[in-house]
């Protein structure tokens, strides 16, 4: 009850405390309260960090009923552009991973919103989900081109390269070899780890 009260309190610090507990302990049944807090925080642009936590908590503990609202938020013009990555993360968890598919992610492969795509790719890494062979090919072919500012931001291909450590090597080998040519040493390490079937030491999500 205390958690729900904090989420509905319209107090940013209390909302942050409640969301942190929900995410850490993977507490379910707070979806409506989280959505209510999300609606409140949308009107508080300076509270984007807590808004980010709420969006991610919905993805981690929520259900598909939140997807329409999250997709509506994608259409908004956020000054804190990192929120698009959070939205991609949560929508992918709820729409794709929960249903053993990557349809949403694939729909973003030619999107102009690279942060949204990066968020969806980070959800695949976070969840440990392994797509079917056909989807793996589509994802690898789609993200390989996203290498802009790679040393400054974590690109979609970085997340996927990290996820590849548990994917079929026959399908990922060429993609990972291309990643070893990155000018960012971090991705080179990630790709080499995945080629060796090892989980990367880098904490990306």
């Amino acid at each position: 009850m205390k958690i729900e009260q904090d989420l509905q309190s319209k107090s940013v610090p209390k909302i942050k405390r409640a969301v942190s507990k929900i995410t850490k302990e993977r507490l379910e049944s707070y979806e409506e309260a989280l959505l209510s807090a999300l609606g409140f925080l949308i009107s508080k642009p300076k509270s984007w960090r807590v808004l980010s936590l709420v969006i991610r908590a919905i993805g981690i503990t929520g259900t598909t009923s939140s997807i329409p609202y999250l997709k509506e938020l994608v259409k908004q013009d956020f000054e804190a552009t990192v929120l698009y990555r959070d939205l991609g993360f949560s929508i992918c968890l709820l729409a794709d991973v929960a249903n053993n598919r990557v349809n949403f992610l694939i729909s973003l492969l030619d999107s102009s919103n690279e942060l949204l795509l990066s968020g969806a790719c980070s959800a695949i890494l976070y969840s440990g989900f392994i797509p079917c062979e056909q989807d793996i090919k589509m994802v690898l072919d789609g993200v390989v081109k996203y290498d802009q500012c790679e040393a400054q931001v974590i690109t979609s291909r970085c997340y996927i390269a990290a996820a590849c450590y548990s994917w079929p090597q026959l399908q990922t080998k060429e993609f990972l070899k291309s990643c070893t040519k990155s000018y960012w040493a971090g991705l080179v390490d990630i790709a080499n780890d995945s080629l060796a079937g090892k989980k990367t030491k880098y904490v990306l999500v």
Side-chain angles (χ1 to χ4, degrees), residues 17-33:
R17 180 176 61 196
V19 172
S20 296
K21 184 174 179 63
I22 288 171
T23 303
K24 182 179 180 180
E25 298 181 19
R26 305 288 179 88
L27 302 176
E28 299 179 355
S29 77
Y30 291 103
E31 187 169 19
E32 286 189 19

Side-chain angles (χ1 to χ4, degrees), residues 4-205:
E4 191 162 347
Q5 289 174 347
D6 283 349
L7 289 173
Q8 296 175 345
S9 67
K10 299 194 184 308
S11 164
V12 175
K14 287 183 179 180
I15 292 172
K16 181 180 180 181
R17 180 176 61 196
V19 172
S20 296
K21 184 174 179 63
I22 288 171
T23 303
K24 182 179 180 180
E25 298 181 19
R26 305 288 179 88
L27 302 176
E28 299 179 355
S29 77
Y30 291 103
E31 187 169 19
E32 286 189 19
L34 284 168
L35 289 170
S36 176
L38 180 56
F40 165 69
L41 291 168
I42 288 291
S43 64
K44 303 281 185 182
K46 292 183 179 179
S47 300
W48 65 267
R49 289 180 179 83
V50 180
L51 179 58
S52 170
L53 295 176
V54 173
I55 292 171
R56 292 175 71 84
I58 291 171
I60 293 169
T61 66
T63 67
T64 55
S65 62
S66 291
I67 295 174
Y69 183 48
L70 295 177
K71 286 188 173 181
E72 281 300 311
L73 292 183
V74 169
K75 301 174 185 177
Q76 291 202 23
D77 185 17
F78 290 112
E79 186 175 342
T81 54
V82 68
L83 294 175
Y84 295 112
R85 188 172 63 193
D86 298 322
L87 287 166
F89 172 84
S90 288
I91 295 172
C92 184
L93 283 180
L94 297 175
D96 283 353
V97 175
N99 294 292
N100 295 313
R101 62 189 186 194
V102 286
N103 295 17
F104 173 69
L105 190 158
I106 288 172
S107 75
L108 299 173
L109 291 175
D110 293 315
S111 169
S112 59
N113 193 330
E114 291 185 33
L115 281 171
L116 199 63
L117 173 60
S118 289
C121 291
S122 74
I124 298 300
L125 173 61
Y126 172 85
S127 65
F129 177 65
I130 302 176
C132 68
E133 291 186 7
Q134 180 181 353
D135 287 346
I136 286 177
K137 184 180 188 315
M138 292 180 70
V139 171
L140 297 184
D141 289 347
V143 302
V144 70
K145 63 188 176 188
Y146 291 102
D147 60 358
Q148 296 298 307
C149 304
E150 204 146 56
Q152 300 168 28
V153 299
I154 303 175
T155 61
S156 54
R157 79 167 182 160
C158 291
Y159 289 118
I160 295 301
C164 279
Y165 84 96
S166 62
W167 293 12
Q169 191 176 60
L170 186 64
Q171 289 185 274
T172 61
K173 189 174 182 179
E174 291 307 312
F175 167 75
L176 291 171
K177 280 187 174 180
S178 72
C179 290
T180 64
K181 298 174 183 176
S182 171
Y183 50 82
W184 179 43
L187 179 55
V188 175
D189 289 342
I190 290 168
N192 280 324
D193 281 341
S194 285
L195 281 167
K198 298 189 301 183
K199 188 175 182 179
T200 180
K201 63 185 178 185
Y202 290 87
V203 180
L204 303 181
V205 186

